[in-house]
Amino acid sequence: MSTQVETLEFQAETRQLLQLMVHSIYSNKDIFLRELISNASDALDKLRLEAFRDKELAVDLADPRVEIETDREQRTLTVRDNGIGMSRDEVVGLIGTIAKSGTAELLQKMQQQETTSGPAAKELIGQFGVGFYSSFMVADRISLLTKRAGEKQATRWESNGDATYTIETVDDAPQGTAVTLHLKPADDEDNLFDYTSEWKIRELVRRYSDFITWPIKMEIESKDSEGENKRELKTLNSMKALWARARDEVSDKEYNDFYKHVSHDWRDPLEIIPLRAEGTFEYQALLFLPAHAPADLFTRDAKRGVQLYVKRVFIMDNCETLLPEYLRFVKGVVDAQDLSLNVSREILQQDRQISLIRRRLTKKVLSSVQSLLNDDVERYRSLWTEFGAAVKEGLLSDPDNRDTILELVSFSSTHDPKQQTTLRQYVERMKEGQRHIYYMTGSSRSIIESSPHMEAFRAKGYEVLLLTDAVDEVWVDSVTEFDGTPLQSIAKGEAGLETDEEKEASETERDEKQKEFADLLAWMTGKLTEHVKEVRLSTRLTTSAACLVSAADDMTPAMERMYRAMGQPVPQVKRILELNPGHPLVAGLRKAHEERGDDVELAETAELLHGTALLAEGGELSDPSRFTRLLADRLASAM
């Protein structure tokens, strides 16, 4: 008996995704079975945990399993579990909607690129709920029957992959979930195999799901001792936990398949990190460094963390406590032997053993990255391109490992237009007499390289690090040195490029220039007092007329913009305008000021000089229309 069938529409992004699935964005269609088995395994994990936490929950735990059933005549394949199941609201919420914002963003990117294949399309596989949708690559219609543990009524869901699905409440159904695929005809040219074939199912289970800790069962046809055909339920997988096996007992392929199971990534991992701790307390871990960053790496609501088991019993997905946030891209499993099964996220945050595991896992991941840097530079560069911006967050949040992270980080620099450099490599290349590691932050390499601040450093042949990630604006205020060598921004404070001998030799000339320009500097400081705290002569400019610099302890303009974008009010920080005394414009302005004093046009020229310095560093004018009007007037008068 069931209630009336209700027809609902998919969420807009879900409809788009279904169309992509129906038209086969993924060449390896076998992936659908891995995803369905993975979902079934998760449901069994959650049931065992729920039953442990709620002793009153009326559930059957006698024979937890995943079953696969095929029907050649009807061309159907069913994957069934007796796990936690879903309520009606959960079916609508999880299957009718894409809950993960990164998927919607990826769809938009694909539409802009007008592509439905390649890495962007494949990245959709494994997004929250998308693993289920992958079944539409092989099926014309999908039926789902599910009953949540402890509830009396079940829910039937069905769709053929168009804009709608049907849903109804069913009174009689077993606990758990059964997904039935009404398969498309086999098509070898399109890599669409006969998924009712017993040997094909056995092959896929061995390939992708052999490590699942629950039995995956299927009726297998065989002959008895008298040669008669018989069918019996057999377990297809070995159920061996890979993290409990020695490294030399497991092939890279097994590790890769396990990674795809825990991460829902379609690609192989970049690095495999097995770990075993014995002694006061024991745990085993199997961690992976992905090859590519997920679309939601920098979104606030992204899920992170590794899976936590206790004595092979699944406790939780996405255990954030086990690794710091800056290593949120690391995937894998941690199996602790001495924790209580009745553990919550709140308890984990206070647990001493978890804190110790976290420290050891963090050091192990960082040492693995260091090994890549030392022994496999190409793979290190690949990792850093994908995750470097996230790792640099650790320079702020993890002071205990800051020195280790500083050895790992790499940056673009003026030394090589293509290859990045580590701080250690920078220090080894420092010129004789150089006392600082020079850097500049900015939104892009091209903007920094064209900045007036670079002129004197380029002329002196000093290498400058080009820091273009948003996090670079923040950590540089906390990290003052690397292995005893101070870091210095070339856009803050005095340039300080002269040696003691050079300072002594040019002291007389510098004093003369200061006296010569004293009146102009004082006058411009007064005229521009709303915008700058001081106007002074520059030692860092060689070709540009002027540039803006921040005082050594002041917040940079980029930091100001970041705080305001987050809704945090910050006072405007006035900066210092430096003038190049050798530039014709500055020399002409000094002479005109001597002759015409407080001329209105001179004040406007001073304002234009400040505006051009702001634009040269990629800044924003406070009054663009006034600047363009003044510039047009000056150009007209020069004609």
Side-chain angles (χ1 to χ4, degrees):
M1 179 179 176
S2 65
T3 60
Q4 183 178 357
V5 177
E6 185 178 1
T7 300
L8 301 176
E9 288 192 354
F10 283 109
Q11 178 199 41
E13 289 87 354
T14 310
R15 290 200 300 271
Q16 295 172 265
L17 178 57
L18 283 170
Q19 286 304 305
L20 291 175
M21 288 297 177
V22 169
H23 293 92
S24 303
I25 65 169
Y26 197 52
S27 59
N28 181 13
K29 297 174 180 61
D30 294 347
I31 202 77
F32 84 92
L33 188 60
R34 184 191 75 190
E35 295 297 322
L36 292 181
I37 292 174
S38 180
N39 291 344
S41 172
D42 290 344
L44 289 165
D45 285 338
K46 290 172 183 175
L47 176 67
R48 182 166 59 176
L49 184 61
E50 190 71 17
F52 178 82
R53 290 176 174 171
D54 183 0
K55 303 301 183 184
E56 303 300 319
L57 188 65
V59 295
D60 179 13
L61 295 172
D63 183 22
R65 67 197 180 280
V66 179
E67 278 190 34
I68 300 174
E69 181 182 303
T70 62
D71 186 325
R72 281 183 174 272
E73 292 184 3
Q74 298 296 322
R75 288 204 53 75
T76 62
L77 181 150
T78 300
V79 177
R80 181 182 294 109
D81 67 75
N82 55 351
I84 192 71
M86 289 181 283
S87 66
R88 179 188 175 95
D89 289 342
E90 286 173 326
V91 171
V92 174
L94 293 176
I95 298 180
T97 303
I98 296 179
K100 202 166 190 178
S101 59
T103 303
E105 293 169 8
L106 202 57
L107 280 165
Q108 185 177 12
K109 185 193 305 182
M110 290 167 59
Q111 289 174 336
Q112 292 171 349
Q113 297 173 352
E114 297 183 351
T115 178
T116 58
S117 61
K122 293 175 184 177
E123 192 173 323
L124 288 168
I125 296 289
Q127 295 282 358
F128 186 76
V130 177
F132 172 81
Y133 297 136
S134 66
S135 298
F136 280 105
M137 295 188 294
V138 301
D140 292 318
R141 180 161 54 95
I142 299 178
S143 303
L144 178 145
L145 179 63
T146 184
K147 178 181 175 183
R148 183 167 181 83
E151 295 190 356
K152 293 182 179 179
Q153 292 183 314
T155 302
R156 178 181 287 118
W157 176 101
E158 189 169 301
S159 177
N160 58 8
D162 59 12
T164 64
Y165 59 91
T166 61
I167 192 166
E168 60 181 315
T169 300
V170 179
D171 288 332
D172 185 21
Q175 167 194 304
T177 301
V179 180
T180 299
L181 311 185
H182 299 265
L183 296 165
K184 297 176 181 179
D187 185 348
D188 291 344
E189 291 185 3
D190 193 30
N191 294 317
L192 190 59
F193 302 107
D194 181 6
Y195 294 109
T196 65
S197 168
E198 177 186 305
W199 73 265
K200 185 63 178 177
I201 298 301
R202 297 181 73 166
E203 176 203 350
L204 295 183
V205 170
R206 283 196 302 269
R207 184 190 306 171
Y208 294 119
S209 306
D210 193 56
F211 44 79
I212 296 289
T213 54
W214 304 103
I216 303 170
K217 297 187 176 184
M218 182 177 177
E219 272 199 359
I220 302 297
E221 186 173 298
S222 60
K223 294 185 181 296
D224 59 20
S225 57
E226 298 178 359
E228 297 292 328
N229 289 335
K230 66 173 183 177
R231 298 188 66 83
E232 58 181 328
L233 205 60
K234 289 191 175 181
T235 299
L236 306 183
N237 59 324
S238 69
M239 295 183 288
K240 294 181 179 177
L242 261 65
W243 61 85
R245 295 160 60 185
R247 178 68 173 91
D248 56 5
E249 293 178 2
V250 185
S251 69
D252 285 347
K253 184 180 182 307
E254 288 178 293
Y255 278 132
N256 292 344
D257 288 341
F258 182 77
Y259 164 75
K260 292 169 186 175
H261 166 66
V262 297
S263 70
H264 297 289
D265 192 357
W266 60 275
R267 293 157 291 211
D268 291 339
L270 184 74
E271 181 73 351
I272 303 163
I273 309 174
L275 183 63
R276 180 188 297 267
E278 298 176 346
T280 308
F281 66 95
E282 297 181 3
Y283 66 90
Q284 297 154 335
L286 181 56
L287 305 179
F288 301 91
L289 302 181
H292 297 274
D296 61 355
L297 182 63
F298 294 103
T299 58
R300 184 173 298 179
D301 59 348
K303 291 185 178 179
R304 64 181 183 86
V306 298
Q307 293 182 352
L308 175 62
Y309 284 71
V310 174
K311 302 182 184 72
R312 308 280 181 90
V313 176
F314 173 80
I315 300 298
M316 68 180 67
D317 258 329
N318 310 118
C319 183
E320 299 176 356
T321 318
L322 287 168
L323 282 170
E325 187 171 2
Y326 69 92
L327 296 179
R328 57 187 173 273
F329 54 89
V330 176
K331 303 297 181 183
V333 168
V334 173
D335 188 355
Q337 304 303 308
D338 303 311
L339 288 177
S340 165
L341 293 176
N342 190 20
V343 65
S344 67
R345 294 185 186 273
E346 292 72 27
I347 293 174
L348 286 175
Q349 292 174 357
Q350 308 298 326
D351 191 276
R352 185 186 68 83
Q353 292 187 11
I354 288 292
S355 297
L356 190 53
I357 292 175
R358 175 190 173 103
R359 287 198 295 271
R360 289 183 178 176
L361 292 181
T362 301
K363 289 185 180 298
K364 182 63 175 179
V365 171
L366 294 178
S367 69
S368 297
V369 178
Q370 182 70 63
S371 296
L372 288 177
L373 175 60
N374 295 338
D375 305 327
D376 196 335
V377 175
E378 287 307 313
R379 284 204 300 152
Y380 163 80
R381 287 173 179 161
S382 176
L383 177 80
W384 196 256
T385 298
E386 298 291 325
F387 303 108
V391 175
K392 283 188 284 188
E393 295 172 13
L395 294 172
L396 286 164
S397 61
D398 191 359
D400 291 342
N401 288 300
R402 179 176 290 169
D403 290 343
T404 301
I405 298 172
L406 283 172
E407 292 283 357
L408 300 177
V409 295
S410 60
F411 311 95
S412 298
S413 87
T414 54
H415 174 71
D416 190 319
K418 295 181 179 179
Q419 299 296 346
Q420 292 193 328
T421 182
T422 65
L423 292 173
R424 181 68 60 192
Q425 292 165 341
Y426 180 104
V427 169
E428 291 172 353
R429 288 193 299 267
M430 283 174 57
K431 296 172 70 69
E432 186 176 351
Q434 182 180 344
R435 296 187 296 271
H436 297 87
I437 296 172
Y438 295 112
Y439 69 87
M440 184 173 175
T441 60
S443 58
S444 70
R445 182 186 184 110
S446 59
I447 288 177
I448 298 175
E449 286 187 320
S450 59
S451 168
H453 298 95
M454 294 286 295
E455 293 173 2
F457 294 86
R458 189 179 290 115
K460 286 272 190 179
Y462 286 151
E463 181 179 355
V464 178
L465 299 177
L466 314 175
L467 312 186
T468 56
D469 289 324
V471 68
D472 292 330
E473 292 286 351
V474 187
W475 71 261
V476 291
D477 287 333
S478 301
V479 179
T480 58
E481 65 173 40
F482 168 71
D483 197 22
T485 304
L487 276 71
Q488 180 175 316
S489 169
I490 67 170
K492 279 189 170 187
E494 296 281 359
L497 295 180
E498 293 180 319
T499 64
D500 293 338
E501 292 78 10
E502 289 172 334
K503 284 183 180 179
E504 188 176 342
S506 61
E507 186 175 358
T508 302
E509 180 183 355
R510 205 167 49 248
D511 290 344
E512 289 177 359
K513 286 287 185 184
Q514 194 64 41
K515 292 176 183 178
E516 187 179 344
F517 282 83
D519 291 344
L520 175 67
L521 298 177
W523 172 76
M524 285 186 67
T525 299
K527 290 296 179 184
L528 299 174
T529 188
E530 290 186 14
H531 306 289
V532 302
K533 65 172 65 176
E534 179 188 358
V535 181
R536 69 188 184 197
L537 296 183
S538 178
T539 60
R540 75 185 82 219
L541 296 174
T542 59
T543 57
S544 297
C547 72
L548 285 163
V549 299
S550 301
D553 298 325
D554 280 351
M555 184 184 300
T556 64
M559 279 293 292
E560 283 188 62
R561 291 192 293 270
M562 286 174 59
Y563 277 117
R564 291 196 178 100
M566 293 186 291
Q568 298 185 26
V570 291
Q572 181 184 1
V573 179
K574 292 183 180 181
R575 301 172 71 200
I576 300 165
L577 179 64
E578 289 192 350
L579 304 181
N580 178 3
H583 194 280
L585 175 58
V586 176
L589 185 59
R590 181 195 64 79
K591 184 176 180 182
H593 177 258
E594 285 182 354
E595 296 173 351
R596 304 202 301 273
D598 205 12
D599 191 313
V600 174
E601 289 189 352
L602 291 182
E604 292 177 347
T605 302
E607 191 175 339
L608 285 172
L609 194 58
H610 171 263
T612 56
L614 189 61
L615 290 174
E617 66 176 17
E620 298 178 359
L621 297 168
S622 58
D623 190 349
S625 60
R626 174 175 172 79
F627 179 85
T628 54
R629 180 178 59 78
L630 292 179
L631 181 60
D633 290 346
R634 294 282 77 73
L635 291 173
S637 64
M639 298 296 288

